[in-house]
Amino acid sequence: HRMRFHQSPVLLIGEEQPKNRFTELQVLKGHFDIVRFLVQIDDFRCASAGDDALVLIWSVETGERLQELRGHTQQITAITTFSSTNGVAAHASLITASSDRSLSLWDPDTGNRVQTISDLQSSVKCLLVLERQCVWISGGEELCVWSKDFQLQSQRQTHSDNGITALIELPKNCIAAAMDKDIMIYRLTVSTDSSVSVAEIRCLSNHQDQIRSLITVNDGLFASGSHAGELVVWDAVEWNMVARERILWEEPQAGTEIRLGAAQPSEVSIQHLSTNGKLIVAAVGGGLYVYNVLTRSVLAYRKQAHDSNVLHTSLLDVMSCSEDGSVRMWEIQEQPLMAEATSAGLFGGMWSFGRSNKSSVHVSKKTPPDSAPVRTLELTGDLIGHSGAVQMFISFNESALVTCSTDHLLILWKDGQRESQRRSLALLHKLEEKGGL
């Protein structure tokens, strides 16, 4: 009767973060290179993948490595879950894409590679499963539509420098694809013989720089963020621009003259966007910016949330992880900032943003309008454990969090109080079984 929780040392973070429930951590070893992707399979399991070509399946309950999916020969470039029904119950599978120019379908229960497509013209950068249409899409230099049994249904070249870097589903059988500075809208048509064709129907060219993030906000809206700090909210049915913000972290300067060779202004690239349907959180350089979609205004921001670029965010709790190796939890402070404090550059820089309509590109103002008092983000938890950049994280309800990093490790973070209660109960049961009580 070996007790499972002894299989890896548990570290305690300490009591000085009362709002941080993740006080227990377990280090998960198995990868040999940068771990870039995490995906939730079900309530109890997740998969990790990265530059070592391995896909590993983990138990979130115990931290145990359940399966190793071996087959790719180069780094994994995209991964997604794919549910198939066998007539009785839904079964979760995984699709992976790799720099070895192949696509694979895996059974995470057995670790078997069920299907594989090799000799693609180029490596796939993103994957999108359309459950309703029973197809899935791969994006890169080509846009390909595949049936559930891995048969190619449709293929088209993208004719752009970087190809398709992100894909999302839109209403009415449409999808949006980010390509360089543009968003391309495609419509899928399923014919009577179940074959699928794809038509290019609109090109949205409102960004002035490379699109870094593309997300679905809710049934009626989607959003995109660019390398130049542009956040655009779009109508998901009409495909027109609903709102546009330009995020500029301006450095206070003694003189207006900018010398060549002087330090660059702060990084404003939007590295990641996430949403809960009402708010959008944007990772802007090392800062975080919370935008209210309903009021079309800035709700809160923190210019220096991290020491270097934020790579991933979430809005279930406001959370962020960064190249600086930390994972941080935030709360939107109840009290708005005083206007003077904002314009005085409380966060080590001034806030400048703009809204635009068809006639003007953007109007910069030093502080947002009076109607929308801006709040700050207060740090409530700092999860220190990784020794390299934290690439991403996924949450399992409120009880567990999994992070992955360039340090080749995953860390499973748990609610310490809940875990110790669980262990006490397990011990009581064990004593009762042995007749000790």
Side-chain angles (χ1 to χ4, degrees):
H1 282 290
R2 192 166 58 90
M3 293 176 89
R4 277 221 190 273
F5 53 81
H6 286 314
Q7 69 187 30
S8 148
V10 161
L11 303 177
L12 298 178
I13 291 170
E15 297 305 309
E16 67 282 359
Q17 299 179 26
K19 291 180 177 177
N20 176 7
R21 61 186 177 279
F22 297 116
T23 51
E24 193 171 296
L25 68 87
Q26 194 175 350
V27 175
L28 311 184
K29 296 177 180 173
H31 283 286
F32 304 99
D33 208 331
I34 296 174
V35 191
R36 295 186 190 275
F37 304 105
L38 293 169
V39 64
Q40 183 171 346
I41 297 168
D42 49 35
D43 289 345
F44 315 104
R45 295 178 297 168
C46 71
S48 59
D51 293 5
D52 59 5
L54 287 175
V55 180
L56 304 179
I57 311 292
W58 305 90
S59 161
V60 179
E61 300 276 295
T62 63
E64 199 180 345
R65 188 166 69 214
L66 302 173
Q67 295 292 348
E68 287 187 20
L69 314 186
R70 294 175 178 271
H72 285 299
T73 56
Q74 288 181 43
Q75 69 185 77
I76 307 293
T77 53
I79 181 168
T80 187
T81 52
F82 180 80
S83 67
S84 47
T85 46
N86 53 10
V88 188
H91 178 74
S93 304
L94 289 170
I95 301 175
T96 54
S98 162
S99 293
D100 62 17
R101 297 194 307 192
S102 72
L103 288 162
S104 295
L105 177 71
W106 308 85
D107 182 341
D109 299 352
T110 61
N112 292 339
R113 179 143 78 158
V114 183
Q115 291 270 15
T116 189
I117 297 158
S118 44
D119 306 322
L120 294 166
Q121 290 174 28
S122 60
S123 60
V124 167
K125 295 181 177 178
C126 49
L127 295 165
L128 175 67
V129 174
L130 301 177
E131 298 284 356
R132 271 187 317 113
Q133 291 88 343
C134 293
V135 296
W136 56 278
I137 297 167
S138 61
E141 283 174 31
E142 297 89 35
L143 177 80
C144 297
V145 182
W146 307 87
S147 64
K148 288 233 169 181
D149 50 5
F150 267 56
Q151 299 302 308
L152 181 64
Q153 298 289 302
S154 173
Q155 179 179 19
R156 45 185 321 142
Q157 291 295 316
T158 57
H159 309 295
S160 72
D161 296 347
N162 295 299
I164 295 172
T165 51
L167 285 166
I168 57 168
E169 184 175 5
L170 298 180
K172 302 188 174 175
N173 293 335
C174 290
I175 57 168
M179 275 187 268
D180 301 327
K181 300 176 188 180
D182 299 332
I183 298 169
M184 196 63 79
I185 308 288
Y186 295 97
R187 179 172 276 129
L188 273 68
T189 311
V190 183
S191 14
T192 45
D193 62 353
S194 294
S195 65
V196 180
S197 61
V198 177
E200 209 171 274
I201 49 177
R202 181 78 65 87
C203 178
L204 310 176
S205 308
N206 299 58
H207 279 290
Q208 287 158 27
D209 208 333
Q210 184 84 29
I211 295 167
R212 287 293 179 88
S213 186
L214 180 68
I215 59 162
T216 300
V217 177
N218 51 39
D219 292 344
L221 300 171
F222 68 97
S224 53
S226 83
H227 187 66
E230 305 158 299
L231 169 64
V232 180
V233 181
W234 307 89
D235 184 306
V237 179
E238 304 290 331
W239 317 307
N240 50 16
M241 191 164 70
V242 173
R244 181 178 184 274
E245 293 287 344
R246 179 79 188 271
I247 305 164
L248 301 168
W249 302 130
E250 286 188 351
E251 297 300 324
Q253 272 162 356
T256 50
E257 178 195 353
I258 297 175
R259 296 186 310 282
L260 285 170
Q264 284 286 310
S266 298
E267 179 64 68
V268 294
S269 180
I270 296 179
Q271 307 292 340
H272 190 258
L273 294 171
S274 55
T275 185
N276 59 6
K278 297 185 181 83
L279 301 176
I280 294 173
V281 63
V284 186
L288 291 171
Y289 158 100
V290 182
Y291 180 78
N292 187 328
V293 179
L294 307 174
T295 60
R296 297 188 199 170
S297 61
V298 183
L299 180 67
Y301 75 100
R302 180 88 181 225
K303 188 200 168 190
Q304 285 159 325
H306 286 271
D307 297 334
S308 48
N309 281 339
V310 178
L311 300 178
H312 194 83
T313 58
S314 111
L315 246 172
L316 192 64
D317 288 305
V318 182
M319 285 184 89
S320 55
C321 66
S322 161
E323 286 172 357
D324 67 13
S326 71
V327 182
R328 291 183 173 165
M329 300 165 69
W330 306 91
E331 244 175 36
I332 297 173
Q333 221 180 28
E334 284 306 305
Q335 285 306 308
L337 293 166
M338 290 185 305
E340 303 88 290
T342 314
S343 54
L346 187 65
F347 304 112
M350 289 188 197
W351 167 257
S352 165
F353 79 118
R355 228 177 234 103
S356 76
N357 50 35
K358 286 184 179 118
S359 60
S360 67
V361 178
H362 78 274
V363 188
S364 282
K365 297 176 187 173
K366 280 290 172 278
T367 52
D370 302 333
S371 59
V374 179
R375 302 169 195 278
T376 181
L377 291 167
E378 193 182 349
L379 183 66
T380 56
D382 201 357
L383 308 186
I384 303 293
H386 285 291
S387 60
V390 184
Q391 296 289 319
M392 75 173 282
F393 57 85
I394 49 172
S395 304
F396 283 79
N397 303 323
E398 300 221 321
S399 56
L401 179 79
V402 184
T403 55
C404 67
S405 166
T406 56
D407 63 11
H408 309 179
L409 301 174
L410 275 75
I411 296 181
L412 171 58
W413 308 83
K414 289 197 169 172
D415 181 329
Q417 213 175 348
R418 190 170 154 167
E419 288 304 299
S420 58
Q421 284 171 350
R422 210 167 57 89
R423 282 196 281 269
S424 305
L425 281 170
L427 202 58
L428 276 171
H429 285 312
K430 193 154 274 192
L431 289 170
E432 280 169 1
E433 276 172 26
K434 289 181 175 172
L437 287 179

